[in-house]
Amino acid sequence: MSKSLQAIRGMNDILPEQTPVWRYFEGTVSRLLDNYGYKQIRMPIVEFTELFKRSIGEVTDIVEKEMYTFEDRNGDSLTLRPEGTAACVRAVLEYGITGGGQVQKLWYIGPMFRHERPQKGRYRQFHQIGLEVFNLDGPDIDAELIVLTWRLWGELGIRDAVKLELNSLGTSESRGRYREALVEYLSAHHDKLDEDSQRRLKTNPLRVLDTKNADTQAVLVDAPKMADYLDDESRAHFEGLKARLDAVGIPYVLNPKLVRGLDYYSKTVFEWVTDKLGAQGTVCAGGRYDGLVEQMGGKPTPGVGFAMGIERLVLLLETLEQIPEEISRQVDVYLCAFGEEAELAGLALAERVRDQLPNLRLQVNAGAGSFKSQFKKADKSGALYALILGDDEMAQQVVGFKPLRGQGEQQSIAWDALAAHLATCVVQG
Ligand code: ATP
Ligand code: MG
């Protein structure tokens, strides 16, 4: 195939055989978020480049090398959103809906774009579900975010495969003091650091903690620890969070090296990680960002949130074979009609049944065809039952009702009784 007719590398189609899992996942999450009182917000996919520079920070991987940035026809610099928090903060400020301390518990879903090296679990267009809460500054809401993800893993049957990692980055003052101590220590070991870390030491020193380089990791063993620099307020906040997780019985591990890639976090940071997907193991990540709204031009407004990667969670469901069987069956009943008169009667009958059973997944054969070919299609559709309208059935005003998955013999049902009969044998979603 010529190159221009292929999808862009790292940007995937989600094919009809894959969409049932996606819809199952998205449906489960959105129902859960409704139940916890979160409201959906939808932002544009494109924003001014400046928004991401200002919120995410100039010296982050995302802004330095991962953004899809272009000039539009007016000469404005625009960027395909690499994440959702920036646009969400922009939107709440633009519409004033966090003003006067109004609490907002919001969620969003959609594609994000980052120019990374595509590999399993890492793509250039990928999808996130994210939550952001504004104007609540206590550990209770941090805990709620974690509790609801814990429930989600339970509902999806993947709880045993994910582990919660926690850290506190302190307030910006205590982080500032820690940063100084870290820079002093690392500068004394400058020659033993890898090149990336040497660069980060100047631009974003906390990110050195995140390094994958073994030599740098060895240097870090004796480095100052964030925990020793936490101010009293952050310490109390962190204890409050841990007490709540303990109360619910959610296990966690403290990871002092967890700093997250983005500049704007403070106090709580967390990640849910799995060892079932290889290197791309973080399925959900977030934390508190009390300084962000102010940094973006608003009044000081506490915030906390997270984002989960849908591709990675779908991969995890597939890897662990935790996909309920019924989600891939998309047809309950398949109607076969033979001859024009039967087709007309069948169409009208199908609509009457749909009036009475709006959730029934009823497929009417299209494209006519012989007895054999229509039955083949009925079977292939995955339907549990076939309805048959031939000359005999037309004469008696009945429909043949044939179980396709081996539950009994074919029987005749009067047209008027069909909906009631179907209601007794098909469990409707
Ligand atoms: P990573 O360390 O894996 O690059 P990140 O810290 O850049 O992740 P976040 O910005 O916190 O990721 O995004 C939240 C979640 O979105 C991640 O935990 C992951 O599940 C998912 N995610 C991030 N980048 C990608 C990507 N390129 N492809 C697929 N999923 C992604
Ligand atoms: Mg990344």
Side-chain angles (χ1 to χ4, degrees):
M1 211 190 285
S2 96
K3 187 142 198 227
S4 63
L5 294 180
Q6 289 175 356
I8 296 164
R9 196 165 114 81
M11 304 203 180
N12 300 309
D13 299 296
I14 300 159
L15 295 172
E17 77 227 36
Q18 302 168 302
T19 49
V21 187
W22 280 69
R23 293 181 60 182
Y24 161 65
F25 177 77
E26 292 163 3
T28 307
V29 181
S30 51
R31 189 170 22 77
L32 190 124
L33 294 178
D34 284 347
N35 294 351
Y36 276 84
Y38 287 75
K39 294 192 179 135
Q40 193 184 23
I41 180 169
R42 303 187 184 199
M43 297 86 66
I45 286 171
V46 187
E47 299 275 352
F48 288 119
T49 304
E50 188 54 30
L51 174 74
F52 301 114
K53 286 194 178 165
R54 227 209 280 178
S55 62
I56 299 172
E58 301 256 6
V59 289
T60 53
D61 283 353
I62 292 182
V63 173
E64 279 183 337
K65 49 193 188 200
E66 294 176 357
M67 294 206 302
Y68 280 89
T69 296
F70 60 95
E71 256 188 28
D72 77 354
R73 287 168 193 275
N74 302 331
D76 290 326
S77 180
L78 307 183
T79 293
L80 298 182
R81 64 181 184 193
E83 51 99 59
T85 305
C88 189
V89 170
R90 197 257 320 128
V92 299
L93 286 179
E94 194 164 338
Y95 292 94
I97 59 174
T98 51
Q102 289 176 81
V103 172
Q104 294 289 347
K105 293 169 61 170
L106 306 174
W107 71 280
Y108 55 81
I109 178 170
M112 307 293 160
F113 303 84
R114 298 184 193 177
H115 197 275
E116 307 196 64
R117 192 169 68 77
Q119 52 199 290
K120 183 182 170 191
R122 190 177 293 285
Y123 311 99
R124 290 179 174 175
Q125 174 174 330
F126 63 99
H127 298 78
Q128 287 182 338
I129 292 181
L131 261 71
E132 317 289 352
V133 179
F134 298 99
N135 281 318
L136 287 171
D137 60 5
D140 49 356
I141 192 69
D142 301 16
E144 178 172 284
L145 291 184
I146 293 173
V147 167
L148 72 85
T149 46
W150 172 250
R151 172 163 302 282
L152 177 64
W153 314 143
E155 284 190 19
L156 295 171
I158 57 176
R159 227 180 228 179
D160 293 343
V162 291
K163 190 177 78 180
L164 176 62
E165 299 196 354
L166 268 190
N167 193 19
S168 175
L169 300 178
T171 57
S172 64
E173 297 81 57
S174 63
R175 198 161 63 256
R177 279 189 287 116
Y178 173 62
R179 186 185 294 120
E180 266 172 41
L182 185 67
V183 169
E184 190 180 326
Y185 172 85
L186 291 177
S187 301
H189 297 82
H190 189 269
D191 296 347
K192 288 184 228 137
L193 304 179
D194 63 284
E195 220 175 284
D196 245 2
S197 297
Q198 290 180 349
R199 192 172 51 84
R200 283 183 176 148
L201 182 54
K202 295 200 195 76
T203 56
N204 193 349
L206 289 188
R207 295 274 341 254
V208 176
L209 298 176
D210 219 9
T211 184
K212 303 275 183 293
N213 182 284
D215 297 332
T216 304
Q217 280 175 346
V219 174
L220 286 172
V221 172
D222 294 320
K225 303 276 176 287
M226 180 75 227
D228 299 329
Y229 288 77
L230 280 191
D231 51 290
D232 291 346
E233 181 195 335
S234 303
R235 204 183 297 274
H237 188 101
F238 202 34
E239 291 308 317
L241 170 61
K242 288 188 283 185
R244 284 168 173 84
L245 299 180
D246 292 339
V248 181
I250 301 176
Y252 51 83
V253 289
L254 300 180
N255 177 358
K257 293 194 181 140
L258 185 64
V259 291
R260 310 279 311 114
L262 312 180
D263 257 0
Y264 50 57
Y265 289 105
S266 55
K267 290 186 180 159
T268 310
V269 287
F270 66 92
E271 290 193 358
W272 286 99
V273 293
T274 179
D275 56 8
K276 302 283 188 288
L277 296 179
Q280 270 50 252
T282 304
V283 294
C284 175
R288 179 162 280 284
Y289 48 81
D290 289 343
L292 179 63
V293 175
E294 195 178 5
Q295 179 182 316
M296 289 174 65
K299 295 231 167 63
T301 305
V304 58
F306 68 69
M308 55 181 115
I310 304 185
E311 280 80 359
R312 291 185 193 175
L313 283 158
V314 165
L315 265 173
L316 189 57
L317 289 174
E318 288 167 350
T319 307
L320 300 175
E321 298 183 3
Q322 286 298 328
I323 298 167
E325 219 172 288
E326 63 276 9
I327 67 160
S328 48
R329 187 168 55 78
Q330 295 186 321
V331 180
D332 298 320
V333 182
Y334 192 102
L335 187 146
C336 309
F338 304 96
E340 193 176 339
E341 207 189 323
E343 275 187 26
L344 298 182
L347 182 60
L349 179 62
E351 288 309 305
R352 282 209 301 281
V353 168
R354 288 181 173 125
D355 285 342
Q356 292 173 63
L357 303 175
N359 291 326
L360 184 73
R361 293 171 300 182
L362 167 59
Q363 187 164 323
V364 176
N365 183 72
S370 67
F371 200 75
K372 196 170 153 202
S373 88
Q374 289 199 35
F375 261 110
K376 218 167 153 183
K377 287 196 275 179
D379 192 48
K380 207 171 158 218
S381 76
L384 298 173
Y385 303 98
L387 300 176
I388 301 150
L389 270 179
D391 292 344
D392 292 348
E393 287 82 10
M394 286 298 291
Q396 296 169 46
Q397 305 231 322
V398 296
V399 60
F401 179 87
K402 184 177 164 59
L404 294 173
R405 315 280 151 209
Q407 322 90 320
E409 294 296 303
Q410 179 171 332
Q411 31 178 322
S412 293
I413 314 277
W415 290 352
D416 287 344
L418 180 59
H421 183 73
L422 285 171
T424 64
C425 42
V426 181
V427 181
Q428 297 167 61

